[in-house]
Amino acid sequence: MAERKVTVQSEVGLHARPAATFVQTAAKATVNVTVARMSGEPVSAKSILSVLALDVRQGETIVISADGEGADELLDALAAIASAP
Amino acid sequence: MSSSTPWPPSRRRPDVDRMAGVGVSPGVGAGPAHLLVGEIPEPPADARHDGDAAAETARAVVALERVAADLEARGVQAGGTAEDVLEAQAMMARDPELVEGVSALVGGGMAASRAVYQAFQKYRDMLASAGGYLAERVADLDDIRDRVVALLTGVPMPGVPVDAAVPYVLIARDLAPADTAVLSRDLVAAFVTEEGGPTSHTAILARAMGVPAVVACAGATAITSGTPVLVDGTSGIVRLMPSDEEVAEARDAAAARQAALSAVTGPGRTSDGHPVPLLANVGGPGDLPAALANGAEGVGLYRTEFLFLDRAAPPSAAEQVEAYRAVLAAFPGGRVVVRTLDAGADKPLAFLPPPGHEPNPALGERGLRMFRVHQEVMAAQLGALAVAAAGTEAKLQVMAPMVATRAEAEWFVRACRSAGLPEAGIMIEIPAAALRAADLAGAVDFFSIGTNDLAQYTFAADRQLSGLTELQDPWQPALLDLIHGAAVAASAQGKGCGVCGEAAADPVLACVLVGLGVTSLSMASPALPAVRAALARHSLDQCVLAAVDARGAPSAEIARAAARAHLPGLADLAL
């Protein structure tokens, strides 16, 4: 299981446009991918409703995890989205 | 105790064929009413399907996908911010976890409509409990759910018709971006909403489209679809079942009034040359085109809440500077009066700890009172204002809302001075401040009277309660007395005293306010031409006489008539 810890930089947090881009990218992948708050329950990164409900604000750190073929590339792409200002 | 005296009949109580609201986009429009469908009924909790779970699940998936595709298509058609909003909604309708939830419920025997309803409920609860920005998204979620449930149960889809033989008058409680993204002038003759104000989504959209609109029209949603309706977006009057003559007459009057109004241009002044700067109320840089088109000499009320509400993090200094500078740059040589953040328990800020429960937010820790608790927010705003003002040619004036005492006024002025802001004033909207205006004038550079809140607090009548409109009437002589007192106190110390509430937008009352000693008037931009024309037709003496007799009247109704008797030029303007 590969994972990335990322601090969300966007001013609006993982909401609105950043959340949409994040979920769209995750949804294209064939493997399972989850996102969680630090020491929180992971939710599917392909679910916009679950990602929004995490309510991640600017400056908070999230853990993105995936397993299987292409997991590392996917996690890199998602981490880049989450850490973009 | 019983009394035989009848309750005074309400002047504004709507009768069957005439309703009154607030005109927010001028002009006259007529057409058949189209009532925007409100609530889709909740599918009953015991709704079951006939046993074929796979087929029932497929129905739900098809409905979700159709709604998603429809939202997406509307987004592409609308473009801009609306596209982002609608695309996000489409993603929600296609959410794989949501589909899984629906499928599980249908597998247990539940009907698709109920399963969709319940699956949404889970996310609805999560978003609602998060508060702030996410709670605002609940309305988006409900909109999707209602569309899907409507499809599955065969009831009419909420939304507006996008093809019609003749343009219709769109009537709604309020309008959402999804409702309005696809509308055009060819489709809509006028808007009427029961809720909303001059800066509501409906008002902004209507002005941008050049379509007449009336908001805050009590009882509007009782109008049945198909009823012919005549809407006057200037006076705020909505007439049902008008005759052809009435429609023609209203159109002619609107055209004549428009011609008379646009004949008067230039800075605000009375017929004998007494200058009264006419300024615009704006809620953000988006309101600037309307302000400039209507000849505003500056901004008399820049509401800054839009920068702070509905967001998880406070706006950065750079973002604030940009938003302030955009408005300052539009009025080189003019003045721009910025009201600092006016938030409270009814408009909580998502990035601050939630305020304690207040049974009465209008009387709570709001406006300047909130700044006393969160001084860092005030310091950041004042700092950004000082940076924005540097290098622009507008005169920046900053004022605080909800000031009651001289100590509060002094505290705010000190904060402005140390931020490097040369002109600091206060809103006069609490009766205590109006009563002690002479005291407060010594501490500040200017006053700006917010007549809406001043009326609410003076008459102990909640602005949100449409049943108390009578007590919110700015013609009430008690309110005129307080305005007069504040204006006289300011003038005695050489300070300006403007009005930035709805009262300034009434061309008749505008003359009275000038007669009371008010030195500038600020209003929603569409109201500027009528006020400019009314002032230009009357001398300062006439305004003073109108003001004296209005204050001498025993009721708002009589005050209005008494003032009109001194203002003969109104007739030329059909006002």
Side-chain angles (χ1 to χ4, degrees):
Chain A
M1 177 81 99
E3 65 172 42
R4 300 283 185 281
K5 283 196 180 64
V6 197
T7 301
V8 173
Q9 300 291 350
S10 159
E11 210 174 291
V12 296
L14 201 52
H15 292 138
R17 172 119 318 261
T21 313
F22 186 89
V23 171
Q24 276 162 347
T25 306
K28 282 186 201 130
T30 49
V31 298
N32 283 333
V33 52
T34 63
V35 54
R37 288 171 155 276
M38 291 298 285
S39 70
E41 282 295 307
V43 300
S44 167
K46 301 182 183 189
S47 163
I48 183 81
L49 291 168
S50 304
V51 170
L52 286 181
L54 279 183
D55 195 13
V56 178
R57 314 274 175 105
Q58 183 183 32
E60 293 182 326
T61 302
I62 53 171
V63 186
I64 320 168
S65 316
D67 213 357
E69 200 177 333
D72 276 311
E73 292 78 1
L74 174 64
L75 290 175
D76 286 342
L78 292 175
I81 294 164
S83 61
Chain B
M1 193 190 88
S2 71
S3 162
S4 61
T5 311
W7 183 252
S10 163
R11 184 178 57 80
R12 290 189 188 166
R13 184 157 299 160
D15 48 45
V16 270
D17 58 356
R18 194 170 181 279
M19 295 179 176
V22 179
V24 291
S25 182
V28 164
H34 178 85
L35 183 65
L36 194 63
V37 176
E39 282 171 18
I40 297 293
E42 174 182 339
D46 55 0
R48 319 265 311 160
H49 60 74
D50 60 13
D52 188 347
E56 189 72 357
T57 303
R59 277 185 68 221
V61 170
V62 167
L64 282 161
E65 176 51 35
R66 264 184 62 186
V67 168
D70 178 52
L71 288 165
E72 216 167 34
R74 280 167 188 262
V76 171
Q77 199 182 337
T81 350
E83 180 167 4
D84 277 356
V85 173
L86 293 166
E87 196 188 310
Q89 279 191 305
M91 283 178 72
M92 293 178 187
R94 292 192 176 114
D95 193 300
E97 301 250 299
L98 180 79
V99 173
E100 245 174 67
V102 171
S103 152
L105 290 169
V106 172
M110 192 179 282
S113 57
R114 179 67 195 183
V116 165
Y117 188 89
Q118 275 189 211
F120 270 104
Q121 197 63 34
K122 173 181 149 197
Y123 296 101
R124 192 185 192 283
D125 293 346
M126 284 199 283
L127 297 190
S129 66
Y133 169 86
L134 286 179
E136 298 279 329
R137 302 281 74 75
V138 168
D140 296 349
L141 209 56
D142 287 351
D143 179 44
I144 308 166
R145 179 197 65 198
D146 287 350
R147 286 168 190 274
V148 178
V149 170
L151 268 182
L152 288 169
T153 52
V155 302
M157 185 73 104
V160 297
V162 289
D163 47 358
V166 290
Y168 53 83
V169 173
L170 186 62
I171 298 175
R173 202 163 53 77
D174 209 349
L175 291 168
D179 302 323
T180 54
V182 294
L183 297 178
S184 74
R185 256 193 103 132
D186 307 329
L187 214 54
V188 181
F191 292 102
V192 179
T193 63
E194 211 159 79
E195 294 175 0
T199 56
S200 64
H201 183 76
T202 310
I204 293 162
L205 176 95
R207 286 195 292 264
M209 283 169 64
V211 167
V214 172
V215 300
C217 183
T221 54
I223 299 173
T224 38
S225 284
T227 311
V229 180
L230 173 63
V231 179
D232 185 334
T234 309
S235 65
I237 301 296
V238 175
R239 262 183 280 177
L240 309 188
M241 313 282 288
S243 65
D244 291 350
E245 293 75 39
E246 275 180 308
V247 174
E249 209 173 281
R251 287 195 201 279
D252 289 351
R257 183 168 53 199
Q258 207 48 49
L261 297 186
S262 43
V264 185
T265 55
R269 67 183 71 209
T270 58
S271 61
D272 53 339
H274 173 70
V276 183
L278 299 180
L279 312 167
N281 292 351
V282 303
D287 291 340
L288 289 173
L292 292 166
N294 286 295
E297 293 162 58
V299 168
L301 172 63
Y302 183 0
R303 302 182 178 93
T304 54
E305 288 74 59
F306 79 100
L307 278 165
F308 297 87
L309 295 175
D310 301 339
R311 53 193 298 163
S316 66
E319 184 183 352
Q320 289 198 52
V321 169
E322 191 186 335
Y324 303 144
R325 193 169 277 157
V327 173
L328 287 159
F331 294 99
R335 82 173 83 170
V336 171
V337 185
V338 176
R339 182 180 70 189
T340 55
L341 176 60
D342 188 9
D346 55 340
K347 286 186 275 184
L349 298 172
F351 56 85
L352 292 178
H357 172 70
E358 291 183 1
N360 204 337
L363 306 180
E365 208 159 60
R366 57 177 310 115
L368 188 67
R369 301 167 180 182
M370 199 265 311
F371 272 171
R372 295 204 73 129
V373 186
H374 301 288
Q375 298 193 12
E376 71 288 356
V377 180
M378 176 173 77
Q381 184 170 31
L382 297 182
L385 281 164
V387 173
T392 65
E393 288 166 51
K395 182 168 96 162
L396 171 65
Q397 299 186 307
V398 180
M399 64 180 179
M402 285 301 277
V403 173
T405 65
R406 170 151 178 151
E408 288 172 345
E410 286 173 341
W411 180 75
F412 179 71
V413 171
R414 268 200 308 277
C416 288
R417 299 273 189 266
S418 55
L421 294 163
E423 292 217 44
I426 54 169
M427 297 277 296
I428 300 286
E429 52 190 345
I430 298 178
L435 290 167
R436 300 293 296 185
D439 238 4
L440 273 68
V444 303
D445 298 316
F446 68 94
F447 287 161
S448 180
I449 303 175
T451 48
N452 309 347
D453 270 333
L454 186 58
Q456 150 162 288
Y457 297 131
T458 301
F459 290 94
D462 193 327
R463 283 169 67 175
Q464 311 296 330
L465 295 180
S466 50
L468 299 179
T469 344
E470 200 77 354
L471 294 172
Q472 277 287 328
D473 189 333
W475 281 93
Q476 289 281 3
L479 190 68
L480 301 180
D481 279 350
L482 288 177
I483 295 170
H484 178 250
V488 167
S491 156
Q493 304 190 42
K495 312 283 170 75
C497 177
V499 165
C500 65
E502 287 305 314
D506 170 347
V508 190
L509 190 47
C511 295
V512 169
L513 293 173
V514 169
L516 290 171
V518 166
T519 56
S520 65
L521 299 169
S522 189
M523 64 206 77
S525 300
L528 285 163
V531 169
R532 183 182 294 115
L535 286 178
R537 276 178 163 71
H538 300 103
S539 66
L540 182 57
D541 279 352
Q542 284 176 308
C543 293
V544 170
L545 288 173
V548 168
D549 280 3
R551 280 184 65 211
S555 74
E557 191 85 89
I558 297 172
R560 192 180 272 109
R564 275 183 170 276
H566 291 287
L567 304 167
L570 296 168
D572 310 340
L573 301 168
L575 289 170

